[in-house]
């Protein structure tokens, strides 16, 4: 087992991409992990189902609690009941394009939700030391004043989501300075994986490329192909989250690869992996354009490298291949299931 046996962590957004990888990482280190999930009419634990189905010794150290980032009293009850050593606030309405359609909901969950968690942590700290991680976002830089973006780069958010993240960022700094809470902002640039939601552009691409290859889909509709992002592997990035909370003093860090690539480049690699030319299958659809676009984001991770000893270990091409290969296996399974369900000729 591990150097952190007996420690307790609480994660909001545990069923999301980063939450699932962080859960695996913490359990491997010996943590007892508590996660907050929303009560819904359908199961939302797909990304952590393999953990829940693991041997008893592992399952006993993972406990799920119903809660919602819109419910301050419920969150406070969970925090005071579980008494975590570390809190990771990863929960959010995290789709930037959707935030334009649901701005009030997005701001409530992303912005005020973080404040509710910070206040619960402050109450817990009155009788127990706790460390707090806030999932900040590169989208806060928006129309960036400099390239690359670093911890001192001014924010210029360009979406309701990004504005809410800026609010949460400053509240985290305020709770650190006003109440002495050990609170850190991880300004994570785009982090992807086979567990990325299928409405996000990278997963949308890898899912479509493999389904087209297997004859399950005809075309792919996308928006801005020229937008450039700093794309890393989510499994690498959760290590940086943990490292922030192991330092002697709390601080804020940019977590990135230091490279930027366009959506077009991602398309080329993904379709080439399955032996196709993306030009034959991709169509532009203005419905997927944002009212205000963020053209270029690329992070400077030098502070994280220097202070945390963290560096991204998965390159862009390898990341695309990891995602395509995982989705290709899903597409093959889908194709096989479809073939077996077709009526046989009499």
């Amino acid at each position: 087992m591990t150097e952190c046996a007996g420690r307790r962590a609480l994660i909001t957004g545990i069923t999301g991409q980063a939450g699932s990888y962080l859960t695996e990482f913490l359990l491997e280190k010996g943590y007892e992990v508590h996660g907050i999930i929303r009560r819904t009419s359908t199961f939302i634990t797909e990304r952590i189902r393999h953990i829940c189905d693991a041997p008893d010794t592992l399952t006993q150290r993972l406990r799920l609690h119903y809660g919602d980032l819109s419910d301050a009293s419920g969150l406070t009850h969970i925090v005071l009941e579980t008494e975590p050593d570390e809190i990771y606030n990863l929960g959010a309405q995290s789709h930037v394009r959707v935030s334009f359609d649901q701005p009030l909901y997005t701001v409530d969950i992303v912005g005020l939700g973080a404040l509710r968690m910070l206040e619960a942590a402050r109450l817990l700290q009155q009788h127990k030391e706790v460390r707090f991680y806030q999932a900040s976002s590169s989208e806060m830089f928006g129309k960036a004043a400099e390239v690359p973006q670093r911890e001192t780069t001014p924010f210029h958010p360009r979406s309701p989501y990004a504005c809410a993240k800026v609010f949460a960022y400053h509240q985290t700094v305020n709770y650190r300075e006003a109440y002495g809470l050990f609170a850190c902002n991880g300004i994570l640039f785009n982090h992807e994986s086979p567990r990325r939601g299928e409405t996000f552009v990278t997963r949308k691409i890898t899912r479509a490329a493999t389904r087209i290859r297997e004859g399950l889909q005809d075309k792919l509709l996308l928006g801005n192909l020229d937008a450039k992002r700093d794309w890393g592997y989510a499994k690498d990035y959760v290590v940086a989250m943990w490292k922030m909370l192991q330092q002697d003093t709390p601080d804020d860090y940019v977590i990135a690869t230091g490279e930027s690539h366009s959506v077009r480049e991602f398309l080329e690699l993904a379709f080439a992996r399955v032996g196709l030319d993306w030009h034959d299958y991709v169509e532009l659809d203005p419905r997927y354009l944002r009212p205000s676009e963020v053209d270029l984001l690329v992070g400077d991770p030098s502070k994280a490298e220097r202070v945390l000893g963290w560096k991204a270990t998965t390159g862009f091409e390898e990341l695309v291949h990891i995602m395509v290969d995982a989705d290709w296996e899903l597409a093959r399974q889908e194709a096989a299931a479809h073939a077996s369900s077709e009526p046989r000729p009499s």
Side-chain angles (χ1 to χ4, degrees), residues 61-178:
R61 289 192 286 111
L62 173 61
R63 301 174 188 176
L64 302 178
H65 308 262
Y66 284 117
D68 197 295
L69 284 170
S70 65
D71 178 13
S73 62
L75 295 173
T76 300
H77 173 75
I78 293 171
V79 169
L80 296 181
E81 179 185 48
T82 59
E83 295 191 330
D85 300 292
E86 299 168 6
I87 295 174
Y88 296 86
N89 184 42
L90 311 184
Q93 188 301 99
S94 57
H95 199 288
V96 176
R97 182 62 189 84
V98 170
S99 77
F100 286 100
D101 300 324
Q102 296 184 305
L104 297 179
Y105 173 75
T106 299
V107 170
D108 184 30
I109 299 303
V110 175
L112 293 177
L115 179 56
R116 293 176 185 116
M117 288 300 298
L118 283 163
E119 182 62 10
R122 183 186 69 83
L123 294 174
L124 175 61
Q125 186 171 254
Q126 293 177 1
H127 68 273
K128 181 184 187 300
E129 180 184 357
V130 60
R131 299 190 169 197
F132 189 95
Y133 172 84
Q134 168 60 23
S136 290
S137 169
S138 60
E139 288 286 334
M140 300 188 305
F141 295 121
K143 191 175 181 179
E146 61 181 354
V147 178
Q149 293 87 52
R150 48 184 62 89
E151 290 80 6
T152 55
T153 302
F155 298 138
H156 189 149
R158 301 266 285 173
S159 67
Y161 168 79
C163 290
K165 282 292 188 181
V166 170
F167 173 87
Y169 172 94
H170 286 301
Q171 289 291 358
T172 301
V173 173
N174 182 57
Y175 269 69
R176 182 168 72 215
E177 296 177 350

Side-chain angles (χ1 to χ4, degrees), residues 27-64:
L27 287 172
E28 288 172 2
K29 285 196 164 292
Y31 278 73
E32 177 184 305
V33 177
H34 294 255
I36 298 178
I37 62 173
R38 290 178 293 114
R39 187 180 293 276
T40 65
S41 58
T42 57
F43 290 109
I44 59 172
T45 57
E46 180 180 351
R47 292 187 182 93
I48 58 172
R49 187 176 302 158
H50 64 289
I51 305 174
C52 297
D53 294 339
D56 290 343
T57 54
L58 191 63
T59 306
Q60 288 172 0
R61 289 192 286 111
L62 173 61
R63 301 174 188 176
L64 302 178

Side-chain angles (χ1 to χ4, degrees), residues 38-324:
R38 290 178 293 114
R39 187 180 293 276
T40 65
S41 58
T42 57
F43 290 109
I44 59 172
T45 57
E46 180 180 351
R47 292 187 182 93
I48 58 172
R49 187 176 302 158
H50 64 289
I51 305 174
C52 297
D53 294 339
D56 290 343
T57 54
L58 191 63
T59 306
Q60 288 172 0
R61 289 192 286 111
L62 173 61
R63 301 174 188 176
L64 302 178
H65 308 262
Y66 284 117
D68 197 295
L69 284 170
S70 65
D71 178 13
S73 62
L75 295 173
T76 300
H77 173 75
I78 293 171
V79 169
L80 296 181
E81 179 185 48
T82 59
E83 295 191 330
D85 300 292
E86 299 168 6
I87 295 174
Y88 296 86
N89 184 42
L90 311 184
Q93 188 301 99
S94 57
H95 199 288
V96 176
R97 182 62 189 84
V98 170
S99 77
F100 286 100
D101 300 324
Q102 296 184 305
L104 297 179
Y105 173 75
T106 299
V107 170
D108 184 30
I109 299 303
V110 175
L112 293 177
L115 179 56
R116 293 176 185 116
M117 288 300 298
L118 283 163
E119 182 62 10
R122 183 186 69 83
L123 294 174
L124 175 61
Q125 186 171 254
Q126 293 177 1
H127 68 273
K128 181 184 187 300
E129 180 184 357
V130 60
R131 299 190 169 197
F132 189 95
Y133 172 84
Q134 168 60 23
S136 290
S137 169
S138 60
E139 288 286 334
M140 300 188 305
F141 295 121
K143 191 175 181 179
E146 61 181 354
V147 178
Q149 293 87 52
R150 48 184 62 89
E151 290 80 6
T152 55
T153 302
F155 298 138
H156 189 149
R158 301 266 285 173
S159 67
Y161 168 79
C163 290
K165 282 292 188 181
V166 170
F167 173 87
Y169 172 94
H170 286 301
Q171 289 291 358
T172 301
V173 173
N174 182 57
Y175 269 69
R176 182 168 72 215
E177 296 177 350
Y179 304 116
L181 183 68
F182 192 109
C184 300
N185 282 291
I187 309 175
L188 269 60
F189 281 65
N190 291 62
H191 42 293
E192 317 296 323
S193 76
R195 299 180 191 175
R196 188 59 141 155
E198 293 183 21
T199 59
F200 289 85
V201 66
T202 52
R203 186 76 195 290
K204 188 176 179 180
I205 290 170
T206 60
R207 192 83 173 96
T210 54
R211 296 187 83 251
I212 290 170
R213 180 66 175 80
E214 294 301 319
L216 299 167
Q217 186 172 328
D218 297 324
K219 61 184 179 180
L220 169 62
L221 302 178
L222 291 176
N224 182 11
L225 304 187
D226 297 318
K228 292 185 175 182
R229 293 292 184 270
D230 186 328
W231 276 306
Y233 188 21
K235 193 171 184 178
D236 289 344
Y237 283 32
V238 300
V239 179
M241 299 177 187
W242 176 77
K243 282 180 173 288
M244 289 180 209
L245 299 194
Q246 313 313 308
Q247 303 305 304
D248 293 332
T249 55
D251 207 344
D252 310 315
Y253 300 88
V254 162
I255 304 300
T257 69
E259 298 180 5
S260 70
H261 298 273
S262 68
V263 174
R264 195 181 306 273
E265 290 177 80
F266 199 103
L267 269 173
E268 290 173 351
L269 283 174
F271 275 78
R273 184 69 169 176
V274 296
L276 299 175
D277 183 343
W278 70 270
H279 296 89
D280 297 331
Y281 305 98
V282 175
E283 296 181 8
L284 301 184
D285 189 330
R287 291 178 301 172
Y288 296 111
L289 297 175
R290 301 180 187 179
S292 52
E293 185 58 79
V294 174
D295 297 316
L296 170 63
L297 292 175
V298 56
D300 176 2
S302 57
K303 180 179 176 181
E305 293 177 13
R306 183 179 69 255
V307 179
L308 304 179
W310 178 90
K311 188 174 183 178
T313 60
T314 306
F316 177 66
E317 184 172 352
E318 182 184 358
L319 171 63
V320 176
H321 289 173
I322 288 171
M323 294 179 67
V324 170

